[in-house]
Amino acid sequence: MKKWNILGLMVLGMLLLSACGEKKYAALPINEEVDICVICNMQVKDDAFATQLTTKDGKNYKFDDIGCMNKWKEQNGSEEIGMDYVRDYNDKEWIEFSKASYVYDESLRTPMAYGMISFKDAGSAEAFVKEQGLGTVLTAGELASHEWTQNQNMMNMDMMNDEEHKDGEMSDDMESKDADKGMDMTQNSSDK
Amino acid sequence: MFSKGNGSHHIHKVRVWFMLILMNVVWIVPLNPGIVIASSISQTEAIALQPIIDQAQTGDVLVLAPGTYLGPVVIDKRLTIRGEGVVTLLNHSADSAIQINSNGVKLQEMNIQQDGDGESAAIVVRADQVTLEDLVIHTGGYGIILRGANGGVIRNNIIRWFIPKGQAPGTRGNGIDLYNSHGTKIMENEITYLRDGIYLENSRNTVVDQNKLYYLRYGIHCMYIDGSYVTNNIGEYNITGAMVMGVTNVVVSGNSFRKQNQNVHSQGILLYDVHTSSIVNNTVEGNRVGIYMEQSSDNDLRDNIILRNFIGVQFLGAEGNQFQSNGFIANVIEAEATDSKDNKMNGNFWDSFQGLDVTNVGTSDIPYAINPFYQQLISNNSAYQLFFQSPGMTFLSDMFTNGKEEWSTDHAPLMKLTTGAPAETASSYGIVMVVGWLLLFLSAVTIIYLGVLRI
Amino acid sequence: MTDMMQVARREIKMGFRNPWAYSFLALFCTFSLSLLVINSQNIVQGYSAITGSMLSLILYLLPLMTLFLGSFSLTSEKEEGSWQLLSTYPMGTMSFILGKYVGLSAVLLIIVAFGYGLMGFISGLIGINFDATTYFLFLVFSAGLVLLFLTIALFIGSLSRNRWQALTISVSVWFFLVIGWPTFLIAILGILPYLWIKPLLVVLTIMNPAELVRLFVVIKLGGGSVLGPEYYQWVEWIGRPAGSWLFIGVCLSWIIASILAVYWIWERGRSRG
């Protein structure tokens, strides 16, 4: 038994050493089968909203939204982070968090409704803003002072995910009236 | 609904008019009574539906004769469209089979087949007070999408994911997908094989009642739907039965979520960032985790039956919740809780717990404390999940009593469960008896022959 | 071959005249039956509290029983001088060891079969819902445990001089592999770098027959998802029919390797006289 253990340990040690020789904090591919957001527990889709970070001791955490990664950093601090990655909105390439450009608009739909998307350079971010006619371009540094809010009370419809039709004819008045009514009902039903 | 205007006069007119059209096409369409949704009828044989809609007037009731129709269609006036017999609407285009842009539209008793996958949907509703009833939808992508559509009714529909003939399986969408659509009633639908069965975002005061949800990613997935009701739904074999996130004042009651145990993150009901809501009278059976609650406070969890799950309930950072009269039966691990203080726990029934009721009041005088050791261990490194319920692990957990006064504790566990657990029978237990008898007989004979008789 | 069968037959006869065998049989039956009776309202199927506690019970009992019976059988050969006698015969050491292994396996498997027979029979009589697949899985689980731990027992028996030594070593090995295992591993792995923990844990688990067999049964019972995201590919693999063959392969290599080791010990002892 003992000999086996020692042998096994040696083989393993060698394997590990060879593995350590590679680049240290490489971005890992998203596996939709098992990856869930560390913060909000939702499945991490292999899409442009996915983000990840690897701590200095090699633990990897994945998130479904930049906002969730930000929340993790708020809770755990940034000292232990080896590298953090976001993805380019257009080609899903992993980019280092600090080197990416960001576009924020509250009407942008992201998995946890933080409304923040990432681009590999300022050029493509500006192109996106120009094309959509909305959003603000931010740098990674500016994200630190960004107020991360989840958009829960959207009064105007966004068109991010519906290519079919741009009809914007919903009257805002009606919408907000309905929302008010909703609040009343909420209060009525709250006391179980 | 329909009494406005001259609609009722129109019914007959439209019908007659419509029959006339049919006379013309009836020779082209072979009326096949046993028509199946995914039939191979080509586009040329189907009747285009849009011209028929264009001819109708606001308030009309269109009754479609049996047959196959062709989408996509846009409905931009108040109409009621009803299928008579087997009516099938095919849509091979990337657009939605039906787009509803006018308030008060009703759609009833039709089959709809949407070939497109990904973001494409069988029905897109962008108007209020729309009714969708008794529809059978086969879609490669989404089923029904509501955008800024308030007060709708979606009742008794069947929505399934399918792979159009001769195509590779596409990306599945959600069965019923609501965004910014308040006060919708979603009832008695059956949704299978899609991504999320019922997805609700920013849609307050929604009622989700008596739906059946099988083989989906999340049966019901909701975010920001304050004041909604999720009641009496049945979910099986999904990754997660009900995923409730970012809500206050929601009622989750009478649901049954079973057999969500295949995925490493499966659970019956997940509550994340849920506040002042009630989760009562649900049954969670045979899931990986029965009820998972994280970052949630001031909720009322009561009278739930937690049966045969790998982990009954799991709390993470759940504070100030009421957790009372729930029944725990035959779970491998009953409960795990970390960072969950100030929860009012009492009167739950824990079947593995040997209580002691000296005062004879029906509750035990010995409290039941939830040992957080395993959950703490695996939160540091999930590789240790290999030790789940290993005999040595239970031994180690029992030795770990550090800070016991901080553990989530049921101070008055129930001695006996009043409501009976639903019984299930194994199909093949007769075999066990026969095999058992055989084994017993053979081994006894061998023992006697070789051991007792000294040959 | 005939030598081996000779030894095996002798072993079986001695095994069933050994009172230890019957006391373990009684213990095993009592415990498994009481577990069944406690849970008589519930169906025995899949991975649940009942099957979970049955797993634990069997893990406590069967390895200990196997270690005792197996190691005692070897030390008694030495103590009673029958090995000295046998050494003078023109019989290969391998035949002797294989014979011992086969004979002892037969004794232990018959005890297990009796226990399960009784369990199945009685659960049928008192109307417990016992799913057939689950029942067979438990049978396989117990057989696997017995066969793997028997090789360790032979090891212990070979290394100990007398019965008392064998008893002490058996109890410590049992405690280490069954009860202390997670404690030791967590303590040792805790000081290693994070990235080493998972691979080491996997290798060490394969080395521990108790954990190896337990995890196989948990996965086959459908409980693989509790093992978490780190092992989901393994779980998927073992869940398939080919996974059973993999498991049988691992067990066989385990058995063969340890029998060879035992052979080497005895051969050395024989040459030294």
Side-chain angles (χ1 to χ4, degrees):
Chain A
M1 269 302 280
K2 223 176 188 176
K3 276 184 185 149
W4 278 58
N5 281 342
I6 291 164
L7 199 75
L9 276 171
M10 276 165 63
V11 170
L12 245 159
M14 272 151 72
L15 278 175
L16 279 167
L17 280 177
S18 59
C20 287
E22 290 164 30
K23 203 187 161 205
K24 234 182 165 181
Y25 308 119
L28 300 179
I30 300 284
N31 181 350
E32 294 186 353
E33 285 274 306
V34 292
D35 286 339
I36 59 166
C37 177
V38 185
I39 295 297
C40 74
N41 295 302
M42 248 162 74
Q43 179 196 29
V44 180
K45 296 284 285 179
D46 192 9
D47 59 18
F49 304 114
T51 65
Q52 62 174 300
L53 63 83
T54 307
T55 61
K56 285 188 178 138
D57 54 2
K59 264 186 225 184
N60 181 272
Y61 297 102
K62 299 197 176 82
F63 307 91
D64 63 345
D65 194 307
I66 303 171
C68 283
M69 183 155 83
N70 180 68
K71 208 169 183 180
W72 190 93
K73 288 175 184 170
E74 276 171 13
Q75 288 171 5
N76 299 279
S78 315
E79 301 87 53
E80 281 304 304
I81 298 175
M83 187 54 75
D84 40 358
Y85 289 97
V86 294
R87 265 178 151 178
D88 181 65
Y89 184 74
N90 299 310
D91 64 8
K92 299 202 291 183
E93 188 195 324
W94 291 106
I95 340 152
E96 290 176 21
F97 176 81
S98 55
K99 292 180 183 158
S101 292
Y102 300 86
V103 170
Y104 170 75
D105 191 275
E106 65 161 8
S107 70
L108 290 174
R109 269 189 85 180
T110 66
M112 285 305 281
Y114 284 101
M116 181 75 71
I117 54 177
S118 45
F119 294 87
K120 60 180 146 196
D121 47 43
S124 47
E126 276 152 17
F128 176 85
V129 171
K130 210 171 193 181
E131 191 192 317
Q132 299 289 319
L134 50 82
T136 347
V137 179
L138 299 163
T139 63
E142 284 165 337
L143 286 195
S145 54
H146 176 74
E147 207 179 306
W148 295 89
T149 48
Q150 282 152 291
N151 180 12
Q152 306 186 18
N153 277 311
M154 205 170 270
M155 289 307 159
N156 56 328
M157 273 189 57
D158 79 284
M159 291 296 132
M160 277 298 296
N161 285 328
D162 331 285
E163 286 96 79
E164 302 106 323
H165 225 246
K166 294 218 171 194
D167 70 344
E169 60 187 6
M170 288 301 309
S171 89
D172 278 3
D173 278 10
M174 226 189 90
E175 277 281 289
S176 44
K177 227 194 288 167
D178 217 84
D180 288 343
K181 205 167 65 193
M183 295 310 281
D184 291 341
M185 279 178 69
T186 303
Q187 272 157 15
N188 288 340
S189 62
S190 65
D191 43 338
K192 203 198 82 106
Chain B
M1 275 286 162
F2 168 73
S3 57
K4 253 189 218 168
N6 52 359
S8 40
H9 291 287
H10 265 278
I11 297 183
H12 296 289
K13 269 194 203 164
V14 167
R15 227 183 212 168
V16 172
W17 168 82
F18 185 66
M19 283 300 165
L20 284 175
I21 293 206
L22 243 182
M23 293 289 200
N24 291 333
V25 285
V26 86
W27 304 105
I28 317 169
V29 183
L31 278 181
N32 183 353
I35 213 158
V36 189
I37 273 294
S39 67
S40 54
I41 289 178
S42 70
Q43 295 190 13
T44 49
E45 292 164 309
I47 312 159
L49 187 58
Q50 188 68 50
I52 301 173
I53 289 169
D54 290 344
Q55 303 261 343
Q57 287 176 29
T58 300
D60 278 352
V61 176
L62 280 181
V63 181
L64 300 180
T68 308
Y69 298 81
L70 192 67
V73 296
V74 177
I75 304 172
D76 43 16
K77 54 191 141 200
R78 187 165 55 80
L79 290 177
T80 296
I81 304 178
R82 188 163 62 227
E84 204 176 51
V86 180
V87 167
T88 304
L89 177 71
L90 302 179
N91 179 33
H92 309 297
S93 78
D95 289 335
S96 293
I98 300 175
Q99 285 187 48
I100 299 173
N101 295 334
S102 178
N103 294 351
V105 169
K106 279 189 185 173
L107 217 57
Q108 292 161 326
E109 295 174 51
M110 303 171 65
N111 298 321
I112 299 166
Q113 182 187 321
Q114 169 77 12
D115 287 0
D117 77 320
E119 298 294 322
S120 92
I123 301 177
V124 174
V125 181
R126 299 176 196 278
D128 298 345
Q129 271 80 45
V130 168
T131 305
L132 306 171
E133 263 178 342
D134 307 314
L135 306 172
V136 177
I137 298 172
H138 284 74
T139 177
Y142 281 72
I144 300 170
I145 287 181
L146 270 70
R147 292 287 177 268
N150 300 320
V153 175
I154 304 175
R155 190 199 303 270
N156 201 27
N157 304 292
I158 295 172
I159 305 174
R160 285 200 188 117
W161 184 70
F162 90 123
I163 305 166
K165 244 182 199 165
Q167 285 183 32
T171 331
R172 41 194 100 194
N174 302 327
I176 298 174
D177 185 298
L178 266 68
Y179 186 73
N180 211 21
S181 303
H182 310 291
T184 309
K185 287 194 170 59
I186 303 172
M187 302 169 80
E188 297 158 32
N189 301 289
E190 187 185 310
I191 304 170
T192 45
Y193 300 106
L194 282 143
R195 192 169 65 198
D196 295 350
I198 299 173
Y199 179 84
L200 313 169
E201 189 176 341
N202 284 337
S203 298
R204 286 179 297 275
N205 307 315
T206 304
V207 174
V208 180
D209 185 47
Q210 296 178 57
N211 299 287
K212 296 194 173 85
L213 310 151
Y214 309 121
Y215 301 101
L216 303 154
R217 184 182 70 163
Y218 306 142
I220 298 166
H221 184 185
C222 38
M223 289 159 82
Y224 321 130
I225 55 154
D226 300 355
S228 293
Y229 290 79
V230 176
T231 51
N232 308 318
N233 300 287
I234 295 173
E236 283 173 18
Y237 303 106
N238 308 294
I239 290 182
T240 292
M243 190 105 171
V244 185
M245 309 166 72
V247 298
T248 48
N249 301 326
V250 163
V251 175
V252 179
S253 76
N255 301 290
S256 150
F257 292 110
R258 302 172 63 238
K259 297 175 186 160
Q260 267 86 217
N261 63 17
Q262 286 303 305
N263 190 278
V264 293
H265 302 296
S266 285
Q267 49 250 319
I269 300 173
L270 179 141
L271 307 166
Y272 176 78
D273 193 14
V274 172
H275 308 279
T276 57
S277 297
S278 41
I279 293 88
V280 293
N281 277 321
N282 300 288
T283 304
V284 283
E285 184 189 340
N287 305 293
R288 190 190 67 97
V289 177
I291 299 178
Y292 179 95
M293 181 157 72
E294 188 178 338
Q295 304 293 332
S296 298
S297 61
D298 306 315
N299 301 296
D300 184 16
L301 289 91
R302 193 186 292 271
D303 299 321
N304 300 293
I305 299 278
I306 294 135
L307 192 63
R308 276 195 288 275
N309 303 286
F310 302 157
I311 301 173
V313 295
Q314 212 170 353
F315 294 163
L316 246 98
E319 293 181 359
N321 300 288
Q322 306 259 347
F323 192 79
Q324 290 165 333
S325 13
N326 300 287
F328 287 80
I329 301 150
N331 303 289
V332 181
I333 287 184
E334 290 175 319
E336 293 281 347
T338 43
D339 302 322
S340 300
K341 283 176 221 151
D342 306 322
N343 292 304
K344 207 173 191 182
M345 261 189 171
N346 51 52
N348 299 291
F349 173 76
W350 315 84
D351 74 337
S352 70
F353 171 72
Q354 293 301 314
L356 186 66
D357 183 12
V358 186
T359 44
N360 213 12
V361 286
T363 54
S364 164
D365 301 314
I366 309 170
Y368 174 92
I370 300 171
N371 190 320
F373 181 75
Y374 173 74
Q375 184 157 303
Q376 273 167 10
L377 180 76
I378 64 164
S379 75
N380 284 331
N381 188 343
S382 59
Y384 290 129
Q385 274 180 272
L386 213 52
F387 292 141
F388 182 85
Q389 207 60 1
S390 148
M393 193 65 218
T394 32
F395 175 76
L396 185 57
S397 297
D398 289 345
M399 290 202 304
F400 175 86
T401 48
N402 228 354
K404 196 165 181 174
E405 58 283 354
E406 303 240 316
W407 296 2
S408 295
T409 306
D410 188 336
H411 294 287
L414 207 61
M415 294 299 289
K416 243 184 202 151
L417 190 66
T418 38
T419 47
E424 199 184 355
T425 49
S427 47
S428 49
Y429 72 95
I431 302 175
V432 172
M433 189 172 168
V434 175
V435 173
W437 200 89
L438 259 174
L439 278 178
L440 190 63
F441 178 74
L442 286 178
S443 50
V445 166
T446 326
I447 291 170
I448 293 164
Y449 182 74
L450 291 172
V452 182
L453 303 175
R454 313 214 157 185
I455 328 155
Chain C
M1 197 61 191
T2 42
D3 287 347
M4 190 197 91
M5 289 317 290
Q6 212 71 44
V7 178
R9 197 168 297 161
R10 175 167 157 271
E11 193 61 42
I12 293 171
K13 253 185 218 167
M14 289 195 343
F16 284 118
R17 282 168 202 168
N18 184 351
W20 281 85
Y22 293 102
S23 51
F24 271 116
L25 178 63
L27 207 60
F28 182 61
C29 291
T30 324
F31 270 101
S32 53
L33 284 179
S34 39
L35 248 181
L36 268 183
V37 172
I38 289 170
N39 292 296
S40 61
Q41 282 103 21
N42 277 306
I43 171 181
V44 188
Q45 187 177 26
Y47 191 41
S48 68
I50 308 150
T51 45
S53 44
M54 271 168 72
L55 274 180
S56 299
L57 170 75
I58 292 164
L59 276 171
Y60 284 131
L61 211 60
L62 278 188
L64 197 61
M65 166 175 114
T66 310
L67 287 177
F68 281 175
L69 291 183
S71 60
F72 288 2
S73 161
L74 279 187
T75 48
S76 66
E77 297 279 357
K78 291 186 203 169
E79 283 177 306
E80 289 157 18
S82 45
W83 167 241
Q84 279 77 0
L85 187 68
L86 280 173
S87 318
T88 59
Y89 291 166
M91 185 182 65
T93 310
M94 194 45 121
S95 309
F96 172 71
I97 290 163
L98 276 181
K100 275 282 185 192
Y101 186 77
V102 171
L104 282 167
S105 317
V107 173
L108 289 163
L109 289 179
I110 287 167
I111 292 177
V112 168
F114 187 89
Y116 275 91
L118 197 67
M119 198 199 282
F121 183 59
I122 290 188
S123 73
L125 277 188
I126 60 175
I128 290 170
N129 276 316
F130 208 138
D131 176 60
T133 329
T134 309
Y135 180 76
F136 289 126
L137 215 59
F138 268 97
L139 206 58
V140 170
F141 166 63
S142 307
L145 268 185
V146 163
L147 292 179
L148 289 180
F149 268 94
L150 190 54
T151 59
I152 300 181
L154 293 188
F155 227 93
I156 296 169
S158 316
L159 292 174
S160 352
R161 245 167 284 123
N162 55 47
R163 197 170 285 218
W164 294 113
Q165 208 175 12
L167 180 89
T168 330
I169 299 176
S170 291
V171 171
S172 12
V173 165
W174 171 81
F175 186 83
F176 175 73
L177 292 181
V178 176
I179 294 180
W181 185 254
T183 316
F184 291 118
L185 255 59
I186 291 166
I188 293 164
L189 295 177
I191 51 174
L192 293 173
Y194 173 81
L195 289 176
W196 289 46
I197 294 176
K198 188 196 156 188
L200 272 178
L201 196 57
V202 169
V203 172
L204 292 174
T205 301
I206 292 173
M207 303 242 163
N208 181 346
E211 284 291 286
L212 184 70
V213 183
R214 181 183 72 86
L215 289 171
F216 175 75
V217 175
V218 167
I219 293 169
K220 283 290 181 189
L221 279 173
S225 62
V226 279
L227 305 181
E230 299 285 342
Y231 310 99
Y232 92 102
Q233 273 161 326
W234 289 56
V235 167
E236 213 168 78
W237 225 91
I238 291 168
R240 281 188 237 150
S244 307
W245 292 108
L246 176 80
F247 175 72
I248 291 170
V250 170
C251 290
L252 275 181
S253 34
W254 228 102
I255 291 167
I256 290 167
S258 4
I259 284 186
L260 282 177
V262 172
Y263 167 73
W264 179 71
I265 294 171
W266 282 81
E267 192 62 13
R268 207 178 53 165
R270 198 177 195 182
S271 60
R272 280 182 193 170

